[in-house]
Amino acid sequence: MERENLKSRLGFILLSAGCAIGIGNVWKFPYMAGQGGGGAFVLFYLIFLVILGLPIMTMEFAVGRASKKSPVKAYQALEKPGQKWHIHGYFTLAGCYLLMMFYTTIAGWMLHYFYMTATGKLSALSADAVADQFTRMLADPGVMMFWMVLVVVIGVVICAGGLQNGLERVTKVMMIALLAIMVVLAINSFFMAGAKEGLKFYLVPDFGRMQEVGVVSTLVGAMNQAFFTLSLGIGAMAIFGSYIGKDHSLMGESVRVVVLDTFVAITAGLIIFPACFTYGVDQTSGPSLIFITLPNIFANMPYGRLWGSLFFLFMAFAALSTVLAVFENIICCGMELTGASRRKSSLVNLFLIIALSVPCVLGYNVWSWDGFAVFGGAVLDFEDFLVSNLFLPLGSLVYLLFCVTRYGWGWENYKAEVNTGKGLKVHDWMRGYLTYGLPLIVIFIFLFGIYDKFFKYFENGMPYAKFIDLTQTLSLEAYYFTDSHWRQEALIETANQIKRNMKNDTLSDGYDICQAADSFYGVYSGQAALQVTPDKIMYIDSEIISQAQVYNYETKKTGAVYDKDKLTGYDPY
């Protein structure tokens, strides 16, 4: 069977960029940049992108182009007789399946919110009601299953149509539309009242803010984001290398893919920060940003239904571009392993991927289990941990060592392949860093990810399985120092985050409504000229709340949820 090739260079670049561009560019990068010193974080991110992500991307492309095989067969075409590098090929296929086991569900979320925004179902809702929509969606397996299956069907049908007539043609249209929508949304944000303040916070280097977060913490965050944003290590890039000719050097092509990925990440911040500063909303990250914070902004924005629909259409395209790229990898691997036609491999994987994606859908409701708390709370978090913390860094390390050491393909073979064609070249003076320095950095990223996931919160005696991270919702910016209380929207999102982690739509029946024994006079009690009417403090309590521990990042100590001495009497302020 003659191997298919991509029709154009543009198709290759957009397909590869589409695979790299994902939801992390939107719901993680802007937040990290804002908290890490704005332009200072972006500067270090770009540096790490060049010295970490770019070289490994050229290696994946080189392995694919030299072998003209899918990742599961590529090593066999290049390794020396008797070597075992090809074992990693099967792990790349497993990593692709694992990624799609939860990414299809997330892509379904985007389509669901595009539908709700476009049809006006989120219009005129209160902040509480908007937040509740996300919780309700997670609790409804029928809704989640419908959108997940739709995503899989769309992806498989497009890939079954052929490399050029299906995948390449659709991805070109979708990626160009994605970039155009982003530009329109960014221009709209520039004209908002809080644009100047928001863009200053986001883009102007602020090393003081970077020191507040922690210089080392910020640098490690920039390093991790630069490494993981390109989805390297599971052959997702290698497959597209196998579809191109040798007219252009792979370093130059990799630079173009990285530039597109970075453009999307930075432009996402240009959209988000002006909106958040205009409406006085704390910029968070993750699902709370996409499905709670931004929908609330759109609900209060002129023509919010239009801008909200465009935003979720952009997010749907970003998610689907990754789905299509990885589906192509899976389908091609199936064709080479079994000798099946493209359509037969597509049909088998249609049912297989749907079946494998079911645990993620049910992990938020029917199959919720406290054992996943250590990974973040749900099946999705466990699957994400396996991909992000194991398959990506260790897979990247294998590609790296295969290309630069004499025990694998070797430096000379890699250099000859990557430099074939017009464009930027890899030089011998880079060999020392790529052979000895870069592997150590990748190993550090892997070990730090394991430490961060399993050991970080044991340091102060906290059982990690009971930990709920509230630092993104109860940030310093969410506190009114003059009135000594948190912003209402921050408290609403905090409550919803706790409820989601506790796997409850509403508070459990197993709690008591309590009242403080004495009257509470508040912060004005020390001002004798003011006649203050005392209040009665009401709070909820339960066995779970009484056993829970709160970790204070400032004092590095743990304590009870309530300091009951402060629920009565006079505030020392």
Side-chain angles (χ1 to χ4, degrees), residues 67 69-78 89-90 333 336-337:
S67 66
K69 301 286 185 183
S70 69
V72 80
K73 289 288 188 179
Y75 287 107
Q76 295 176 3
L78 302 177
Y90 298 101
C333 287
E336 292 189 3
L337 283 173

Side-chain angles (χ1 to χ4, degrees), residues 528-539:
L530 296 176
Q531 297 296 318
V532 180
T533 303
D535 292 322
K536 291 289 186 181
I537 300 297
M538 309 296 294
Y539 61 97

Side-chain angles (χ1 to χ4, degrees), residues 50-356:
V50 170
I51 66 175
L52 290 179
L54 188 60
I56 298 175
M57 177 176 281
T58 67
M59 294 172 189
E60 275 209 36
F61 281 149
V63 168
R65 191 170 74 170
S67 66
K68 290 295 180 183
K69 301 286 185 183
S70 69
V72 80
K73 289 288 188 179
Y75 287 107
Q76 295 176 3
L78 302 177
E79 67 185 0
K80 300 176 180 70
Q83 292 186 327
K84 303 297 182 183
W85 292 95
H86 62 273
I87 294 174
H88 177 243
Y90 298 101
F91 280 96
T92 64
L93 179 57
C96 287
Y97 274 118
L98 196 54
L99 176 60
M100 290 300 98
M101 285 168 65
F102 66 89
Y103 214 89
T104 51
T105 297
I106 295 175
W109 294 352
M110 303 305 169
L111 290 178
H112 178 59
Y113 265 73
F114 169 67
Y115 160 74
M116 288 205 299
T117 306
T119 56
K121 293 184 181 298
L122 297 180
S123 301
L125 293 181
S126 65
D128 264 342
V130 170
D132 191 52
Q133 288 295 318
F134 184 56
T135 305
R136 287 187 177 186
M137 180 190 71
L138 295 181
D140 190 336
V143 170
M144 296 244 287
M145 192 76 71
F146 169 79
W147 291 108
M148 179 274 287
V149 171
L150 182 61
V151 167
V152 177
V153 170
I154 291 172
V156 169
V157 167
I158 291 172
C159 290
L163 183 63
Q164 291 185 10
N165 295 326
L167 180 64
E168 184 177 3
R169 178 181 292 178
V170 171
T171 301
K172 278 183 180 179
V173 173
M174 192 164 64
M175 288 297 295
I176 292 171
L178 180 154
L179 297 173
I181 290 171
M182 287 202 78
V183 171
V184 171
L185 288 170
I187 292 174
N188 178 64
S189 290
F190 292 161
F191 290 97
M192 292 183 178
K196 183 178 179 180
E197 186 181 4
L199 294 176
K200 180 181 178 181
F201 180 83
Y202 177 44
L203 295 177
V204 175
D206 187 340
F207 291 97
R209 200 187 330 145
M210 186 177 179
Q211 288 178 333
E212 289 177 8
V213 176
V215 175
V216 174
S217 176
T218 301
L219 291 177
V220 171
M223 183 189 301
N224 282 331
Q225 183 66 14
F227 181 78
F228 292 118
T229 187
L230 299 176
S231 303
L232 301 170
I234 56 174
M237 294 298 171
I239 187 64
F240 298 117
S242 74
Y243 289 145
I244 60 172
K246 297 179 182 285
D247 296 333
H248 300 278
S249 70
L250 294 176
M251 177 63 80
E253 302 298 73
S254 298
V255 168
R256 289 173 176 83
V257 173
V258 168
V259 167
L260 272 178
D261 179 77
T262 306
F263 170 80
V264 170
I266 292 177
T267 307
L270 300 181
I271 296 169
I272 292 168
F273 278 98
C276 287
F277 274 77
T278 298
Y279 291 94
V281 175
D282 295 300
Q283 195 272 314
T284 57
S285 69
S288 63
L289 169 67
I290 302 299
F291 302 112
I292 298 173
T293 302
L294 291 179
N296 270 312
I297 290 176
F298 294 134
N300 293 281
M301 182 188 296
Y303 304 106
R305 183 171 166 183
L306 169 64
W307 298 119
S309 300
L310 286 175
F311 175 80
F312 282 109
L313 182 61
F314 144 63
M315 288 299 297
F317 284 166
L320 285 172
S321 65
T322 300
V323 168
L324 289 175
V326 179
F327 274 16
E328 173 60 27
N329 201 343
I330 291 172
I331 290 168
C332 184
C333 287
M335 292 165 62
E336 292 189 3
L337 283 173
T338 65
S341 66
R342 173 174 285 271
R343 290 196 173 185
K344 185 174 181 180
S345 180
S346 299
L347 183 62
V348 170
N349 279 291
L350 170 67
F351 294 102
L352 183 57
I353 294 172
I354 288 175
L356 291 173

Side-chain angles (χ1 to χ4, degrees), residues 374-375 385 449-458 464:
V374 67
F375 301 103
F385 163 77
I450 299 299
Y451 160 76
D452 191 57
K453 180 63 67 175
F454 292 107
F455 299 104
K456 185 175 181 180
Y457 297 109
F458 280 115
Y464 186 95

